[in-house]
């Protein structure tokens, strides 16, 4: 029981290049390399998709894996639109931590609403890429 899955949603494949003033200049691949090295005793896996259904399928898969300690989910803009993602999180057993790189509460009004927060164990928002590491720490402390 030592697996943690990080799931990134739409447009997060462009981290490092996408709106660097908001999301920073580091790619997820570079960040993942450092993160994996920091936690040698945990199997940290990474999945990214721009497609809502793929995110749901991946949640279902990890959600009943007894080796999975938790899921770190940055659903990107689907956070603010997807009842289906909220339902998927409510349907699984593995704890999910919602993550955002930016502070979604300090941005446009539309980003203040999340369809997934109430289904998640907790929310981490606004710490740059470090939000992912904080979510891992939160899962390890559960
Ligand atoms: C985001 C915030 C969302 O509002 C946005 O649509 C994203 C990224 C973040 O990590 O700050 O794609 O989830």
């Amino acid at each position: 029981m030592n697996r943690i899955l990080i799931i990134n949603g739409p447009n997060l494949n462009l981290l490092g290049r996408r709106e660097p003033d908001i999301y920073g200049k580091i790619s997820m691949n570079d960040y993942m390399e450092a993160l994996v090295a920091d936690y040698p005793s945990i199997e940290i896996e990474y999945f990214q998709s721009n497609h809502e259904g793929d995110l749901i399928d991946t949640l279902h898969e990890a959600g009943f894996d007894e080796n999975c300690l938790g899921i770190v989910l940055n659903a990107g803009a689907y956070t603010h639109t997807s009842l289906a993602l909220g339902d998927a999180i409510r349907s699984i057993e593995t704890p999910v931590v919602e993550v955002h790189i930016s502070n979604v509460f300090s941005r446009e009004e539309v980003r203040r609403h999340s369809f997934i927060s109430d289904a998640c164990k907790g929310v981490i928002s606004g710490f740059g890429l470090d939000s992912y590491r904080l979510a891992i720490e939160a899962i390890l402390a559960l």
Side-chain angles (χ1 to χ4, degrees):
M1 175 116 174
N2 66 350
R3 175 182 176 223
I4 290 180
L5 176 63
I6 297 176
I7 302 178
N8 267 352
N11 302 308
L12 293 164
N13 53 312
L14 295 180
L15 279 179
R17 286 193 286 167
R18 170 197 183 196
E19 299 182 89
D21 292 350
I22 299 174
Y23 301 113
K25 291 183 179 149
I26 300 170
S27 73
M28 196 65 188
N29 278 353
D30 287 349
Y31 181 74
M32 279 303 298
E33 228 173 84
L35 195 65
V36 164
D38 282 348
Y39 293 92
S41 59
I42 313 167
E43 220 176 280
I44 303 177
E45 288 167 29
Y46 176 61
F47 176 79
Q48 190 277 329
S49 176
N50 294 321
H51 306 280
E52 193 175 10
D54 289 345
L55 300 173
I56 291 169
D57 287 345
T58 304
L59 282 165
H60 288 176
E61 208 180 287
F64 294 98
D65 175 359
E66 56 190 28
N67 291 316
C68 191
L69 284 171
I71 299 168
V72 177
L73 174 63
N74 186 345
Y78 286 141
T79 305
H80 318 296
T81 63
S82 178
L83 177 61
L85 267 182
D87 280 349
I89 297 165
R90 274 182 283 276
S91 305
I92 63 175
E93 289 168 359
T94 308
V96 178
V97 177
E98 175 183 347
V99 154
H100 300 285
I101 297 163
S102 62
N103 179 349
V104 287
F105 300 101
S106 69
R107 299 180 64 190
E108 307 95 305
E109 182 71 34
V110 70
R111 294 184 205 273
R112 291 190 192 170
H113 180 258
S114 167
F115 276 95
I116 66 172
S117 298
D118 66 316
C120 288
K121 198 77 189 160
V123 183
I124 297 171
S125 180
F127 296 94
L129 288 177
D130 214 29
S131 293
Y132 294 94
R133 189 186 58 76
L134 293 169
I136 287 175
E137 288 295 332
I139 288 168
L140 293 177
L142 285 176

mmCIF file with all atom_site columns, all heavy atoms in Angstrom, residues 1-5 39-45 66-70 140:
data_model
loop_
_atom_site.group_PDB
_atom_site.id
_atom_site.type_symbol
_atom_site.label_atom_id
_atom_site.label_alt_id
_atom_site.label_comp_id
_atom_site.label_asym_id
_atom_site.label_entity_id
_atom_site.label_seq_id
_atom_site.pdbx_PDB_ins_code
_atom_site.Cartn_x
_atom_site.Cartn_y
_atom_site.Cartn_z
_atom_site.occupancy
_atom_site.B_iso_or_equiv
_atom_site.pdbx_formal_charge
_atom_site.auth_seq_id
_atom_site.auth_comp_id
_atom_site.auth_asym_id
_atom_site.auth_atom_id
_atom_site.pdbx_PDB_model_num
ATOM 1   N N   . MET A 1 1   ? 0.847  -1.202 0.000   1.00 0.00 ? 1   MET A N   1
ATOM 2   C CA  . MET A 1 1   ? 0.000  0.000  0.000   1.00 0.00 ? 1   MET A CA  1
ATOM 3   C C   . MET A 1 1   ? 0.882  1.251  0.000   1.00 0.00 ? 1   MET A C   1
ATOM 4   O O   . MET A 1 1   ? 1.117  1.858  1.020   1.00 0.00 ? 1   MET A O   1
ATOM 5   C CB  . MET A 1 1   ? -0.878 -0.034 1.266   1.00 0.00 ? 1   MET A CB  1
ATOM 6   C CG  . MET A 1 1   ? -1.727 1.189  1.475   1.00 0.00 ? 1   MET A CG  1
ATOM 7   S SD  . MET A 1 1   ? -3.472 0.778  1.398   1.00 0.00 ? 1   MET A SD  1
ATOM 8   C CE  . MET A 1 1   ? -4.207 2.333  1.854   1.00 0.00 ? 1   MET A CE  1
ATOM 9   N N   . ASN A 1 2   ? 1.443  1.560  -1.135  1.00 0.00 ? 2   ASN A N   1
ATOM 10  C CA  . ASN A 1 2   ? 2.358  2.705  -1.140  1.00 0.00 ? 2   ASN A CA  1
ATOM 11  C C   . ASN A 1 2   ? 2.340  3.473  -2.465  1.00 0.00 ? 2   ASN A C   1
ATOM 12  O O   . ASN A 1 2   ? 3.319  4.052  -2.866  1.00 0.00 ? 2   ASN A O   1
ATOM 13  C CB  . ASN A 1 2   ? 3.778  2.264  -0.804  1.00 0.00 ? 2   ASN A CB  1
ATOM 14  C CG  . ASN A 1 2   ? 4.342  1.378  -1.890  1.00 0.00 ? 2   ASN A CG  1
ATOM 15  O OD1 . ASN A 1 2   ? 3.612  0.954  -2.789  1.00 0.00 ? 2   ASN A OD1 1
ATOM 16  N ND2 . ASN A 1 2   ? 5.632  1.116  -1.841  1.00 0.00 ? 2   ASN A ND2 1
ATOM 17  N N   . ARG A 1 3   ? 1.170  3.446  -3.088  1.00 0.00 ? 3   ARG A N   1
ATOM 18  C CA  . ARG A 1 3   ? 1.073  4.126  -4.379  1.00 0.00 ? 3   ARG A CA  1
ATOM 19  C C   . ARG A 1 3   ? 0.270  5.419  -4.221  1.00 0.00 ? 3   ARG A C   1
ATOM 20  O O   . ARG A 1 3   ? -0.748 5.439  -3.524  1.00 0.00 ? 3   ARG A O   1
ATOM 21  C CB  . ARG A 1 3   ? 0.364  3.149  -5.324  1.00 0.00 ? 3   ARG A CB  1
ATOM 22  C CG  . ARG A 1 3   ? 0.052  3.664  -6.676  1.00 0.00 ? 3   ARG A CG  1
ATOM 23  C CD  . ARG A 1 3   ? -0.708 2.595  -7.498  1.00 0.00 ? 3   ARG A CD  1
ATOM 24  N NE  . ARG A 1 3   ? -1.073 3.147  -8.766  1.00 0.00 ? 3   ARG A NE  1
ATOM 25  C CZ  . ARG A 1 3   ? -2.263 2.992  -9.366  1.00 0.00 ? 3   ARG A CZ  1
ATOM 26  N NH1 . ARG A 1 3   ? -3.202 2.245  -8.808  1.00 0.00 ? 3   ARG A NH1 1
ATOM 27  N NH2 . ARG A 1 3   ? -2.504 3.540  -10.529 1.00 0.00 ? 3   ARG A NH2 1
ATOM 28  N N   . ILE A 1 4   ? 0.755  6.484  -4.823  1.00 0.00 ? 4   ILE A N   1
ATOM 29  C CA  . ILE A 1 4   ? -0.016 7.725  -4.892  1.00 0.00 ? 4   ILE A CA  1
ATOM 30  C C   . ILE A 1 4   ? -0.100 8.131  -6.363  1.00 0.00 ? 4   ILE A C   1
ATOM 31  O O   . ILE A 1 4   ? 0.909  8.125  -7.070  1.00 0.00 ? 4   ILE A O   1
ATOM 32  C CB  . ILE A 1 4   ? 0.620  8.853  -4.048  1.00 0.00 ? 4   ILE A CB  1
ATOM 33  C CG1 . ILE A 1 4   ? 0.480  8.538  -2.547  1.00 0.00 ? 4   ILE A CG1 1
ATOM 34  C CG2 . ILE A 1 4   ? -0.032 10.206 -4.368  1.00 0.00 ? 4   ILE A CG2 1
ATOM 35  C CD1 . ILE A 1 4   ? 1.063  9.580  -1.612  1.00 0.00 ? 4   ILE A CD1 1
ATOM 36  N N   . LEU A 1 5   ? -1.310 8.439  -6.792  1.00 0.00 ? 5   LEU A N   1
ATOM 37  C CA  . LEU A 1 5   ? -1.509 8.798  -8.194  1.00 0.00 ? 5   LEU A CA  1
ATOM 38  C C   . LEU A 1 5   ? -1.800 10.296 -8.312  1.00 0.00 ? 5   LEU A C   1
ATOM 39  O O   . LEU A 1 5   ? -2.683 10.813 -7.621  1.00 0.00 ? 5   LEU A O   1
ATOM 40  C CB  . LEU A 1 5   ? -2.681 7.987  -8.771  1.00 0.00 ? 5   LEU A CB  1
ATOM 41  C CG  . LEU A 1 5   ? -3.075 8.307  -10.211 1.00 0.00 ? 5   LEU A CG  1
ATOM 42  C CD1 . LEU A 1 5   ? -1.950 7.990  -11.189 1.00 0.00 ? 5   LEU A CD1 1
ATOM 43  C CD2 . LEU A 1 5   ? -4.345 7.541  -10.593 1.00 0.00 ? 5   LEU A CD2 1
ATOM 44  N N   . TYR A 1 39  ? 10.575 11.210 -2.631  1.00 0.00 ? 39  TYR A N   1
ATOM 45  C CA  . TYR A 1 39  ? 9.790  10.196 -1.913  1.00 0.00 ? 39  TYR A CA  1
ATOM 46  C C   . TYR A 1 39  ? 10.152 8.802  -2.416  1.00 0.00 ? 39  TYR A C   1
ATOM 47  O O   . TYR A 1 39  ? 9.341  8.138  -3.072  1.00 0.00 ? 39  TYR A O   1
ATOM 48  C CB  . TYR A 1 39  ? 8.289  10.453 -2.107  1.00 0.00 ? 39  TYR A CB  1
ATOM 49  C CG  . TYR A 1 39  ? 7.803  11.715 -1.450  1.00 0.00 ? 39  TYR A CG  1
ATOM 50  C CD1 . TYR A 1 39  ? 7.774  12.920 -2.144  1.00 0.00 ? 39  TYR A CD1 1
ATOM 51  C CD2 . TYR A 1 39  ? 7.384  11.719 -0.117  1.00 0.00 ? 39  TYR A CD2 1
ATOM 52  C CE1 . TYR A 1 39  ? 7.338  14.098 -1.545  1.00 0.00 ? 39  TYR A CE1 1
ATOM 53  C CE2 . TYR A 1 39  ? 6.942  12.882 0.491   1.00 0.00 ? 39  TYR A CE2 1
ATOM 54  C CZ  . TYR A 1 39  ? 6.926  14.068 -0.229  1.00 0.00 ? 39  TYR A CZ  1
ATOM 55  O OH  . TYR A 1 39  ? 6.498  15.224 0.378   1.00 0.00 ? 39  TYR A OH  1
ATOM 56  N N   . PRO A 1 40  ? 11.362 8.324  -2.088  1.00 0.00 ? 40  PRO A N   1
ATOM 57  C CA  . PRO A 1 40  ? 11.813 7.048  -2.644  1.00 0.00 ? 40  PRO A CA  1
ATOM 58  C C   . PRO A 1 40  ? 10.996 5.841  -2.191  1.00 0.00 ? 40  PRO A C   1
ATOM 59  O O   . PRO A 1 40  ? 10.968 4.826  -2.881  1.00 0.00 ? 40  PRO A O   1
ATOM 60  C CB  . PRO A 1 40  ? 13.268 6.943  -2.159  1.00 0.00 ? 40  PRO A CB  1
ATOM 61  C CG  . PRO A 1 40  ? 13.401 7.919  -1.049  1.00 0.00 ? 40  PRO A CG  1
ATOM 62  C CD  . PRO A 1 40  ? 12.361 8.965  -1.238  1.00 0.00 ? 40  PRO A CD  1
ATOM 63  N N   . SER A 1 41  ? 10.297 5.973  -1.056  1.00 0.00 ? 41  SER A N   1
ATOM 64  C CA  . SER A 1 41  ? 9.559  4.800  -0.570  1.00 0.00 ? 41  SER A CA  1
ATOM 65  C C   . SER A 1 41  ? 8.128  4.748  -1.091  1.00 0.00 ? 41  SER A C   1
ATOM 66  O O   . SER A 1 41  ? 7.372  3.822  -0.776  1.00 0.00 ? 41  SER A O   1
ATOM 67  C CB  . SER A 1 41  ? 9.577  4.757  0.961   1.00 0.00 ? 41  SER A CB  1
ATOM 68  O OG  . SER A 1 41  ? 8.989  5.933  1.433   1.00 0.00 ? 41  SER A OG  1
ATOM 69  N N   . ILE A 1 42  ? 7.729  5.744  -1.848  1.00 0.00 ? 42  ILE A N   1
ATOM 70  C CA  . ILE A 1 42  ? 6.367  5.739  -2.408  1.00 0.00 ? 42  ILE A CA  1
ATOM 71  C C   . ILE A 1 42  ? 6.449  5.648  -3.926  1.00 0.00 ? 42  ILE A C   1
ATOM 72  O O   . ILE A 1 42  ? 7.335  6.232  -4.550  1.00 0.00 ? 42  ILE A O   1
ATOM 73  C CB  . ILE A 1 42  ? 5.601  7.035  -2.078  1.00 0.00 ? 42  ILE A CB  1
ATOM 74  C CG1 . ILE A 1 42  ? 5.739  7.397  -0.619  1.00 0.00 ? 42  ILE A CG1 1
ATOM 75  C CG2 . ILE A 1 42  ? 4.140  6.904  -2.435  1.00 0.00 ? 42  ILE A CG2 1
ATOM 76  C CD1 . ILE A 1 42  ? 5.252  8.812  -0.373  1.00 0.00 ? 42  ILE A CD1 1
ATOM 77  N N   . GLU A 1 43  ? 5.485  4.924  -4.457  1.00 0.00 ? 43  GLU A N   1
ATOM 78  C CA  . GLU A 1 43  ? 5.383  4.845  -5.915  1.00 0.00 ? 43  GLU A CA  1
ATOM 79  C C   . GLU A 1 43  ? 4.482  5.993  -6.361  1.00 0.00 ? 43  GLU A C   1
ATOM 80  O O   . GLU A 1 43  ? 3.259  5.922  -6.185  1.00 0.00 ? 43  GLU A O   1
ATOM 81  C CB  . GLU A 1 43  ? 4.716  3.521  -6.257  1.00 0.00 ? 43  GLU A CB  1
ATOM 82  C CG  . GLU A 1 43  ? 5.278  2.798  -7.439  1.00 0.00 ? 43  GLU A CG  1
ATOM 83  C CD  . GLU A 1 43  ? 4.567  1.467  -7.578  1.00 0.00 ? 43  GLU A CD  1
ATOM 84  O OE1 . GLU A 1 43  ? 4.933  0.531  -6.834  1.00 0.00 ? 43  GLU A OE1 1
ATOM 85  O OE2 . GLU A 1 43  ? 3.627  1.398  -8.378  1.00 0.00 ? 43  GLU A OE2 1
ATOM 86  N N   . ILE A 1 44  ? 5.073  7.057  -6.863  1.00 0.00 ? 44  ILE A N   1
ATOM 87  C CA  . ILE A 1 44  ? 4.265  8.196  -7.306  1.00 0.00 ? 44  ILE A CA  1
ATOM 88  C C   . ILE A 1 44  ? 4.072  8.096  -8.811  1.00 0.00 ? 44  ILE A C   1
ATOM 89  O O   . ILE A 1 44  ? 5.040  8.121  -9.568  1.00 0.00 ? 44  ILE A O   1
ATOM 90  C CB  . ILE A 1 44  ? 4.922  9.542  -6.943  1.00 0.00 ? 44  ILE A CB  1
ATOM 91  C CG1 . ILE A 1 44  ? 5.160  9.614  -5.432  1.00 0.00 ? 44  ILE A CG1 1
ATOM 92  C CG2 . ILE A 1 44  ? 4.051  10.707 -7.403  1.00 0.00 ? 44  ILE A CG2 1
ATOM 93  C CD1 . ILE A 1 44  ? 5.875  10.877 -4.977  1.00 0.00 ? 44  ILE A CD1 1
ATOM 94  N N   . GLU A 1 45  ? 2.806  7.953  -9.210  1.00 0.00 ? 45  GLU A N   1
ATOM 95  C CA  . GLU A 1 45  ? 2.514  7.825  -10.637 1.00 0.00 ? 45  GLU A CA  1
ATOM 96  C C   . GLU A 1 45  ? 1.817  9.082  -11.143 1.00 0.00 ? 45  GLU A C   1
ATOM 97  O O   . GLU A 1 45  ? 1.161  9.776  -10.373 1.00 0.00 ? 45  GLU A O   1
ATOM 98  C CB  . GLU A 1 45  ? 1.607  6.621  -10.871 1.00 0.00 ? 45  GLU A CB  1
ATOM 99  C CG  . GLU A 1 45  ? 2.338  5.302  -10.696 1.00 0.00 ? 45  GLU A CG  1
ATOM 100 C CD  . GLU A 1 45  ? 1.369  4.146  -10.627 1.00 0.00 ? 45  GLU A CD  1
ATOM 101 O OE1 . GLU A 1 45  ? 0.282  4.233  -11.213 1.00 0.00 ? 45  GLU A OE1 1
ATOM 102 O OE2 . GLU A 1 45  ? 1.718  3.168  -9.954  1.00 0.00 ? 45  GLU A OE2 1
ATOM 103 N N   . GLU A 1 66  ? -6.415 -1.255 -3.761  1.00 0.00 ? 66  GLU A N   1
ATOM 104 C CA  . GLU A 1 66  ? -6.088 -1.205 -2.322  1.00 0.00 ? 66  GLU A CA  1
ATOM 105 C C   . GLU A 1 66  ? -4.637 -0.803 -2.061  1.00 0.00 ? 66  GLU A C   1
ATOM 106 O O   . GLU A 1 66  ? -4.272 -0.490 -0.929  1.00 0.00 ? 66  GLU A O   1
ATOM 107 C CB  . GLU A 1 66  ? -6.433 -2.522 -1.626  1.00 0.00 ? 66  GLU A CB  1
ATOM 108 C CG  . GLU A 1 66  ? -5.768 -3.720 -2.248  1.00 0.00 ? 66  GLU A CG  1
ATOM 109 C CD  . GLU A 1 66  ? -6.315 -5.028 -1.691  1.00 0.00 ? 66  GLU A CD  1
ATOM 110 O OE1 . GLU A 1 66  ? -7.494 -5.026 -1.267  1.00 0.00 ? 66  GLU A OE1 1
ATOM 111 O OE2 . GLU A 1 66  ? -5.557 -6.018 -1.686  1.00 0.00 ? 66  GLU A OE2 1
ATOM 112 N N   . ASN A 1 67  ? -3.812 -0.785 -3.101  1.00 0.00 ? 67  ASN A N   1
ATOM 113 C CA  . ASN A 1 67  ? -2.432 -0.313 -2.943  1.00 0.00 ? 67  ASN A CA  1
ATOM 114 C C   . ASN A 1 67  ? -2.305 1.199  -3.098  1.00 0.00 ? 67  ASN A C   1
ATOM 115 O O   . ASN A 1 67  ? -1.221 1.756  -2.949  1.00 0.00 ? 67  ASN A O   1
ATOM 116 C CB  . ASN A 1 67  ? -1.517 -0.989 -3.960  1.00 0.00 ? 67  ASN A CB  1
ATOM 117 C CG  . ASN A 1 67  ? -1.359 -2.453 -3.634  1.00 0.00 ? 67  ASN A CG  1
ATOM 118 O OD1 . ASN A 1 67  ? -1.170 -2.808 -2.478  1.00 0.00 ? 67  ASN A OD1 1
ATOM 119 N ND2 . ASN A 1 67  ? -1.486 -3.294 -4.647  1.00 0.00 ? 67  ASN A ND2 1
ATOM 120 N N   . CYS A 1 68  ? -3.402 1.845  -3.451  1.00 0.00 ? 68  CYS A N   1
ATOM 121 C CA  . CYS A 1 68  ? -3.351 3.289  -3.693  1.00 0.00 ? 68  CYS A CA  1
ATOM 122 C C   . CYS A 1 68  ? -3.737 4.053  -2.421  1.00 0.00 ? 68  CYS A C   1
ATOM 123 O O   . CYS A 1 68  ? -4.878 4.001  -1.969  1.00 0.00 ? 68  CYS A O   1
ATOM 124 C CB  . CYS A 1 68  ? -4.279 3.653  -4.856  1.00 0.00 ? 68  CYS A CB  1
ATOM 125 S SG  . CYS A 1 68  ? -4.034 5.336  -5.420  1.00 0.00 ? 68  CYS A SG  1
ATOM 126 N N   . LEU A 1 69  ? -2.771 4.768  -1.873  1.00 0.00 ? 69  LEU A N   1
ATOM 127 C CA  . LEU A 1 69  ? -2.990 5.537  -0.638  1.00 0.00 ? 69  LEU A CA  1
ATOM 128 C C   . LEU A 1 69  ? -3.901 6.734  -0.866  1.00 0.00 ? 69  LEU A C   1
ATOM 129 O O   . LEU A 1 69  ? -4.651 7.139  0.018   1.00 0.00 ? 69  LEU A O   1
ATOM 130 C CB  . LEU A 1 69  ? -1.651 6.095  -0.146  1.00 0.00 ? 69  LEU A CB  1
ATOM 131 C CG  . LEU A 1 69  ? -0.659 5.185  0.539   1.00 0.00 ? 69  LEU A CG  1
ATOM 132 C CD1 . LEU A 1 69  ? 0.650  5.926  0.732   1.00 0.00 ? 69  LEU A CD1 1
ATOM 133 C CD2 . LEU A 1 69  ? -1.224 4.739  1.871   1.00 0.00 ? 69  LEU A CD2 1
ATOM 134 N N   . GLY A 1 70  ? -3.783 7.327  -2.038  1.00 0.00 ? 70  GLY A N   1
ATOM 135 C CA  . GLY A 1 70  ? -4.576 8.518  -2.311  1.00 0.00 ? 70  GLY A CA  1
ATOM 136 C C   . GLY A 1 70  ? -4.345 9.020  -3.719  1.00 0.00 ? 70  GLY A C   1
ATOM 137 O O   . GLY A 1 70  ? -3.405 8.614  -4.401  1.00 0.00 ? 70  GLY A O   1
ATOM 138 N N   . LEU A 1 140 ? -0.191 11.360 3.099   1.00 0.00 ? 140 LEU A N   1
ATOM 139 C CA  . LEU A 1 140 ? 0.653  10.542 3.972   1.00 0.00 ? 140 LEU A CA  1
ATOM 140 C C   . LEU A 1 140 ? 0.261  10.718 5.437   1.00 0.00 ? 140 LEU A C   1
ATOM 141 O O   . LEU A 1 140 ? 0.491  9.837  6.259   1.00 0.00 ? 140 LEU A O   1
ATOM 142 C CB  . LEU A 1 140 ? 2.137  10.889 3.775   1.00 0.00 ? 140 LEU A CB  1
ATOM 143 C CG  . LEU A 1 140 ? 2.717  10.516 2.415   1.00 0.00 ? 140 LEU A CG  1
ATOM 144 C CD1 . LEU A 1 140 ? 4.170  10.978 2.299   1.00 0.00 ? 140 LEU A CD1 1
ATOM 145 C CD2 . LEU A 1 140 ? 2.636  9.002  2.178   1.00 0.00 ? 140 LEU A CD2 1
#
